[in-house]
Amino acid sequence: MNANDKSITGLVMVGHSLVHTYELSIPILVSVWLLEFSTTEATMGLVVTAGYALFGIGALPGGMLADIVGSQRVIAACLLGMSGSFLVLSVAPSIPFVTLALLLWGVAASVYHPSGLSLISKGVEERGNAFAYHGIAGNAGIAFGPLATTLLLIPFEWRTVAALLAVPATVGGLYALRANVDETAEVAADGDPEAVTDAGPDRSADGDGRASAVSSLDEFLTDSRALFSGAFVGIFLVVIMSGLYYRGVLTFLPEVLGEFESFAPVTVGREELEPARYAYVALLMVGMAGQFVGGKLTDRIRPEVGIAVAFAALAVLATAFVPAANAGLTTFLVVGAALGFTLFVVQPLYQATVAEYTPAGTRGLSYGFTYLGTFGVGAFGGTIAGAVLTYGTPLALFLVLAGIAVVASVTGAVLSRR
């Protein structure tokens, strides 16, 4: 990597790790809130969905904002906003107040993915490597967030933990403001030559590469129609299915695992430990390898083929998950590790597919739609999981998730035949 590649990669690694640190600390706190506020999984599913939905819905205006003002500023605002939302969470006295804090977090966090991925796609020469390291950093946050939250909950009550978690984002936001990057180093003066032609017309860029950004309602509608008139509509369906599966698996996973004998709470000294929380962290840590492999695969195979194969594997693993947990710890570790690995392989694959099918001038808008699907519509995976677990069983939930994965796999196979 050249110096600018390294600078951009470092910045997005900080941003991505912190976004997911907070995102995946929330399911650990959910298990505390269920007891603290004496509520049901269905209610908590709706509360968490509200915050996670804004995490996705805000990606669309966030992507447009990144195209207009630049990704670096948007990333800095994201990190400082997340810090503020967790400070609000730290003083929450009730479920409505928790909901408000999660809504604030969702708004702040929503702008990261379209701005960070747009920055990579327009500023980095070795894009595949940057996607891989970006993914690893995200998974480091995905693992560190719940692990740090779990460990901090041993000596501290949850409101203190929320306040302590606000500190890293403050530091990251200040770093983002000072980073030295060239955001459009890899964008040619007449647009991105690698953009697939059926993604729509690209407008010419000016000296800073941002004249082609969407800056009016007419341009937004024109570019949106162009995106969805081609193969992007298939990609959008894939990312929705990915988001539903992702959120459906992870939102209540510590609670689900706690129901199995292998993960029953144990007492060590005067402290009661929750093995299910550590198993949840371990599954997410395996995802780091999945992100790295997925990023490398984007430079070696057609990502549409990778999407078809990976989601087919996720369908099989969802079907096997509950029987494996019932079969004992060793069997579960094998299936759980495979699920964690495959769950995160798909993310670099669909990120790269978006870059292949969209013009540089609206890359932020394209990733905005991508994460509107992944985290906005996909947030309802938490609602689905909460409802199924309240009125059904973990096995029923994982069979629903298997069906979602089949839809994504078939769509990837159709895209690969274009």
Side-chain angles (χ1 to χ4, degrees):
M1 286 188 172
N2 59 40
N4 190 60
D5 281 9
K6 291 178 181 178
S7 184
I8 289 177
T9 302
L11 173 59
V12 297
M13 286 178 71
V14 169
H16 200 203
S17 64
L18 287 172
V19 165
H20 288 299
T21 290
Y22 298 105
E23 178 205 1
L24 272 302
S25 69
I26 292 171
I28 296 295
L29 294 173
V30 163
S31 63
V32 178
W33 295 333
L34 284 168
L35 298 175
E36 172 96 3
F37 301 112
S38 300
T39 189
T40 66
E41 286 93 345
T43 299
M44 284 309 307
L46 290 171
V47 169
V48 173
T49 294
Y52 282 153
L54 285 183
F55 182 29
I57 293 170
L60 183 54
M64 295 171 64
L65 187 63
D67 283 336
I68 295 169
V69 305
S71 294
Q72 184 174 359
R73 295 175 184 175
V74 175
I75 292 171
C78 161
L79 297 175
L80 295 174
M82 289 195 301
S83 175
S85 67
F86 263 65
L87 288 176
V88 172
L89 182 62
S90 71
V91 297
S94 62
I95 284 291
F97 212 109
V98 169
T99 305
L100 173 63
L102 293 183
L103 291 173
L104 293 174
W105 173 83
V107 171
S110 67
V111 300
Y112 172 72
H113 282 94
S115 56
L117 293 170
S118 178
L119 182 58
I120 292 173
S121 70
K122 294 193 290 186
V124 176
E125 180 179 359
E126 296 187 28
R127 191 164 64 190
N129 280 335
F131 277 134
Y133 288 118
H134 178 263
I136 291 172
N139 270 97
I142 284 170
F144 173 78
L147 177 60
T149 305
T150 297
L151 295 176
L152 288 171
L153 283 171
I154 296 174
F156 301 114
E157 61 96 24
W158 71 268
R159 291 181 179 86
T160 303
V161 172
L164 292 172
L165 289 174
V167 175
T170 302
V171 176
L174 296 176
Y175 165 73
L177 287 172
R178 298 178 60 86
N180 181 22
V181 302
D182 179 354
E183 296 194 19
T184 58
E186 295 305 311
V187 177
D190 60 348
D192 186 352
E194 296 180 359
V196 173
T197 56
D198 73 356
D202 195 8
R203 291 185 296 276
S204 61
D206 65 8
D208 66 2
R210 289 199 294 268
S212 58
V214 175
S215 57
S216 70
L217 178 60
D218 285 344
E219 289 181 358
F220 167 75
L221 294 174
T222 298
D223 287 347
S224 298
R225 283 194 295 268
L227 285 173
F228 284 95
S229 65
F232 186 79
V233 68
I235 299 167
F236 191 64
L237 179 59
V238 167
V239 300
I240 288 174
M241 295 301 105
S242 178
L244 291 172
Y245 192 104
Y246 175 88
R247 200 63 72 199
V249 166
L250 297 182
T251 299
F252 292 99
L253 188 57
E255 287 296 305
V256 170
L257 292 178
E259 296 181 11
F260 297 104
E261 184 177 350
S262 300
F263 300 100
V266 296
T267 301
V268 178
R270 287 183 289 182
E271 298 290 342
E272 184 178 74
L273 301 181
E274 302 278 352
R277 293 178 180 175
Y278 295 97
Y280 171 74
V281 172
L283 182 149
L284 296 173
M285 291 183 72
V286 172
M288 295 174 67
Q291 283 273 15
F292 183 79
V293 171
K296 290 295 186 180
L297 286 174
T298 64
D299 287 333
R300 291 167 172 79
I301 66 171
R302 289 189 63 188
E304 304 95 318
V305 175
I307 286 169
V309 173
F311 275 105
L314 284 174
V316 174
L317 291 167
T319 304
F321 190 85
V322 172
N326 283 320
L329 184 60
T330 302
T331 304
F332 169 78
L333 290 177
V334 173
V335 174
L339 178 66
F341 179 88
T342 312
L343 183 63
F344 292 98
V345 162
V346 300
Q347 293 184 3
L349 291 171
Y350 69 65
Q351 290 165 0
T353 305
V354 172
E356 292 292 332
Y357 280 85
T358 59
T362 55
R363 194 64 51 75
L365 175 66
S366 304
Y367 281 119
F369 274 118
T370 298
Y371 284 92
L372 171 64
T374 303
F375 292 132
V377 182
F380 288 95
T383 300
I384 293 169
V388 173
L389 292 173
T390 298
Y391 303 108
T393 64
L395 178 60
L397 171 61
F398 279 89
L399 291 177
V400 170
L401 295 173
I404 290 170
V406 168
V407 173
S409 178
V410 170
T411 306
V414 172
L415 286 172
S416 71
R417 295 174 64 85
R418 287 179 59 87

